[in-house]
Amino acid sequence: MLNGFEYKRVAVAEDVSLNVAVAGTGTPIVLLHGFPQTHLMWRHVAADLASDHTVICPDLRGYGDSDKPADGYSKRTMAADIVALARALGHDRFALAGHDRGALVAFRAGLDHPDTITHLACLDVLPTLDMWDAMHGVTAAVGFHLYLMAQPPGLPEQLIAGAPDAFFGHFLDVWTNDPSAIPADVRAAYLAACRDAIPSIVADYRASAGIDVEHDQVDRAAGNRLQMPVAVLQQDWGAALGYDAAALWRAWAADLDHETVPYGHFMAEEAPAEVTKALRTLLARGAQHGS
C-alpha cells in the first residue's frame, strides 16, 4: 500500500477494473509501473509528487490487483484503459509517466491520445518497433524473456509456472544496481503478484511481438510523432547493443529531452529524488509550451 493514498477499483472497460491509488491535489499525473512490479514501484516518487499534484498510480490490466482478462493486452487497449481511468476520476487531460512495460503503454497513449496526454515520460525502454530492431546476435541474450514470452500460448506459461520466483526474481536481481532499493517486503509483494498473473504477463509480452509492432509500423509509415513534451531516462544500453537511443527516440518525439543515467533499471526506486526532479522538470517545460 502507498501511505497516504486512497485505494479504489475503477471500471475502465467491459469486465475490466483497475486497482488504483490516488492522492494529492493539483494538475494530474498518472504513473505506470513496469515488469515484474506493481504500482508499489512508485512509492517514493508518488509521495513527493502528491505534495502539489494529483497522483494516480494504477496496476496495469493483467498485473497486481487489477483484473486479468484472457486477452486485450495490446498497448493500444492498455492505453485506452488509462485514459478511461483518468476520465473516471475527473481528468480529461493529464501528464503520464511510465517505466518499462508501463512506458510502452504510455508511449502508445501519447500517439493515440495526443489531445489527452499533456506531458510524457518514459523510463528505460525503447519503443517496441525499435526494441526488436536493436536486438540481434549474441547480445540479444540479455532479452531472452522477450523471445520466450513471444511464443504461442502454452509453453511459456508452463515453463514460468514451474519456477515463478526464480524467473521473476532473476530480473529483480540482475536489473538493479542497488539491491537495497527493493527491500524484502516489497520484493515479496512483487513476486506474489507475478505468481498470480503469469498468463496475463505473458499475454502482455506476447502482444509486443505481434499487434504492438503492427501499430508502431502504421504510425511510423504515416509519420506520426509524439506532439507533447517528452522526457526519456535510460541506461546506456545502446553502448552494449550498438544503437543510438537518443536518435531512435528523436524520430518519434518532436520535443524530446533524452538523458542517459547511471542508475539501474529500477530507477524510480534506486534514485527516486532524481526521477522526481526529472518529472518536475518535464512538467515545467510543458507549462512553458502552454500545456
Side-chain angles (χ1 to χ4, degrees), residues 28-194:
I29 181 168
V30 179
L31 305 177
L32 304 180
H33 66 85
F35 163 92
Q37 299 173 292
T38 69
H39 73 283
L40 290 176
M41 64 154 284
W42 292 108
R43 59 195 178 279
H44 306 303
V45 174
D48 189 315
L49 290 175
S51 65
D52 54 354
H53 291 279
T54 299
V55 180
I56 301 166
C57 296
D59 288 331
L60 295 166
R61 83 156 57 194
Y63 288 82
D65 289 327
S66 289
D67 287 344
K68 302 171 180 65
D71 52 24
Y73 291 95
S74 74
K75 302 308 153 295
R76 173 160 289 161
T77 298
M78 296 173 78
D81 286 348
I82 303 309
V83 172
L85 169 67
R87 286 179 178 160
L89 296 174
H91 307 291
D92 290 329
R93 303 185 76 225
F94 58 93
L96 182 58
H99 173 256
D100 189 81
R101 307 303 295 171
L104 299 180
V105 176
F107 173 78
R108 177 46 54 189
L111 288 172
D112 286 359
H113 306 275
D115 296 330
T116 299
I117 310 305
T118 63
H119 321 75
L120 181 67
C122 292
L123 275 57
D124 217 31
V125 295
L126 290 175
T128 300
L129 188 58
D130 299 307
M131 175 193 73
W132 287 113
D133 287 345
M135 304 293 281
H136 53 80
V138 295
T139 57
V142 70
F144 77 94
H145 61 298
L146 302 173
Y147 296 91
L148 171 63
M149 291 189 276
Q151 302 309 309
L155 183 62
E157 293 88 343
Q158 183 178 354
L159 291 176
I160 295 168
D165 286 5
F167 180 77
F168 296 114
H170 166 80
F171 303 103
L172 294 173
D173 293 336
V174 303
W175 286 352
T176 182
N177 292 347
D178 177 11
S180 68
I182 303 178
D185 59 333
V186 174
R187 178 189 173 89
Y190 290 157
L191 293 179
C194 289

Side-chain angles (χ1 to χ4, degrees), residues 174-260:
V174 303
W175 286 352
T176 182
N177 292 347
D178 177 11
S180 68
I182 303 178
D185 59 333
V186 174
R187 178 189 173 89
Y190 290 157
L191 293 179
C194 289
R195 283 195 300 270
D196 291 339
I198 292 170
S200 51
I201 290 174
V202 175
D204 168 32
Y205 273 87
R206 186 176 289 120
S208 286
I211 189 65
D212 294 343
V213 172
E214 295 175 22
H215 290 159
D216 281 6
Q217 288 172 330
V218 169
D219 279 310
R220 174 164 285 174
N224 294 334
R225 303 178 78 201
L226 297 163
Q227 298 304 312
M228 67 291 298
V230 177
V232 175
L233 301 180
Q234 252 176 327
Q235 297 181 92
D236 195 11
W237 282 108
L241 298 177
Y243 61 83
D244 183 339
L248 294 176
W249 271 104
R250 201 171 296 118
W252 288 104
D255 184 359
L256 174 69
D257 182 6
H258 185 281
E259 183 179 356
T260 302

